[in-house]
Amino acid sequence: MKALHAVTAVAEVGAGVALLACPSPTVMLLVGSPLETPAALSVARVGGAGLLALGVACWLSRDDSQSRAARGLVAAMLLYNIAAVAVLAFASIGFGLHGVALWPAVVLHALLGVWCGTCLCFKSVPPSTNNQSNPHSTQQ
């Protein structure tokens, strides 16, 4: 999971910073249409802040692959990647939007989603200790 967290961190921090700093050109790359209203710019920046937060969380957890929190983060990333694939693919297929980065972003999120799913299926969290197996616990 270390590599997954590091790759996700780099990708999401980059996307988050891009949306925060220059939301309209970033969205133009994705869907081929600029953001034209203050409301759209504000919502894009909030999304950028969320991606930045996800990236930071992934970066800080990259050395923790066995805790329930790390697995929870991967589960959240799986949900995010599935939603990103659906939303971006629908933008192209349903709305006819086409930016130069749209399908590469769909493919990237699909691959990251498969990677997340694989990590969740094949990595197990060690069972929690209970009083019977913990030599330092006190028996009452």
Side-chain angles (χ1 to χ4, degrees):
M1 271 196 251
K2 180 176 184 166
L4 172 62
H5 284 165
V7 169
T8 299
V10 170
E12 302 311 336
V13 165
V17 168
L19 281 168
L20 280 168
C22 44
S24 191
T26 302
V27 170
M28 181 75 160
L29 285 172
L30 276 175
V31 297
S33 179
L35 300 176
E36 297 176 347
T37 67
L41 291 167
S42 297
V43 170
R45 285 191 168 113
V46 168
L51 293 177
L52 182 60
L54 176 62
V56 168
C58 287
W59 184 257
L60 294 175
S61 69
R62 71 191 182 285
D63 291 326
D64 177 12
S65 62
Q66 296 300 315
S67 73
R68 292 184 195 277
R71 290 181 56 78
L73 180 58
V74 173
M77 290 167 24
L78 173 60
L79 176 62
Y80 162 69
N81 283 306
I82 290 169
V85 167
V87 168
L88 293 174
F90 187 78
S92 177
I93 296 165
F95 294 137
L97 300 173
H98 301 286
V100 67
L102 180 62
W103 285 105
V106 170
V107 170
L108 174 66
H109 284 289
L111 292 173
L112 287 171
V114 168
W115 195 357
C116 289
T118 302
C119 284
L120 289 173
C121 287
F122 296 111
K123 303 277 184 178
S124 63
V125 174
S128 63
T129 58
N130 58 29
N131 285 345
Q132 295 172 349
S133 63
N134 187 349
H136 301 291
S137 67
T138 58
Q139 298 286 337
Q140 293 182 337

